[in-house]
Amino acid sequence: MRGGALPNRSHKPASGSSAPRRGQGELEAQVLTALHSAQGPVSAAWVQERLDSGLAYTTVVTILSRLLAKGAVTRERAGRSFDWQPAVDPAGLAALRMQRVLDGEADREAVLTSFVTALPPGDEQLLRDLLGEAESEAED
């Protein structure tokens, strides 16, 4: 474009509907759910059909690629493209996100301390129980 003008990049869907935008995490969870419903490795086009949300094929491939980078899916060559399958469930994806946030912080101890002290009592007890189980398994 000449004159430095930028095009109007509205975030509304092209159809003009006022549907709210989904967050990246929500789309990733939907893609993982679709992959979990498959009987084996599937194409991005297969995932796109199952989502039934009007997402472009390239958007689905981008989401799959991001999930691959996070270790949440695997892929194998299938002709000129790839077939995809889940490596984690939706809870595993959330755990990967939490790990990535923790890895990005300089003071892990402070972050973990803040996280644990902010937990409601039921979640804190669950975490204590899980850590106790992990410690018992490590001793065996």
Side-chain angles (χ1 to χ4, degrees), residues 1-9:
M1 278 192 168
R2 297 184 193 259
L6 296 174
N8 179 7
R9 298 197 186 248

Side-chain angles (χ1 to χ4, degrees), residues 5-21:
L6 296 174
N8 179 7
R9 298 197 186 248
S10 170
H11 289 294
K12 285 188 176 181
S15 65
S17 72
S18 60
R21 285 182 52 124

Side-chain angles (χ1 to χ4, degrees), residues 11 13 15 19 26-27 31 34-35 43-44 55 60-61 78 97 99 102 106 109 116 121-122 133 137:
H11 289 294
S15 65
E26 184 180 345
L27 288 173
V31 167
L35 288 173
S43 68
L55 288 178
V60 173
V61 171
R97 282 193 205 111
Q99 183 67 43
L102 186 58
E109 184 176 343
V116 170
E133 289 173 20
E137 290 175 8

Side-chain angles (χ1 to χ4, degrees), residues 1-67:
M1 278 192 168
R2 297 184 193 259
L6 296 174
N8 179 7
R9 298 197 186 248
S10 170
H11 289 294
K12 285 188 176 181
S15 65
S17 72
S18 60
R21 285 182 52 124
R22 289 175 295 239
Q24 178 179 326
E26 184 180 345
L27 288 173
E28 289 176 349
Q30 289 174 358
V31 167
L32 268 181
T33 298
L35 288 173
H36 277 285
S37 72
Q39 298 299 314
V42 294
S43 68
W46 185 94
V47 173
Q48 180 190 23
E49 290 172 12
R50 296 315 176 280
L51 292 178
D52 192 37
S53 61
L55 288 178
Y57 175 81
T58 54
T59 301
V60 173
V61 171
T62 297
I63 295 165
L64 287 165
S65 297
R66 288 179 180 160
L67 288 169

Side-chain angles (χ1 to χ4, degrees), residues 111-135:
V111 173
L112 285 169
T113 299
S114 293
F115 177 74
V116 170
T117 58
L119 288 173
D123 287 349
E124 182 180 342
Q125 187 57 51
L126 175 60
L127 183 57
R128 289 179 189 280
D129 293 345
L130 292 170
L131 290 170
E133 289 173 20
E135 190 174 292

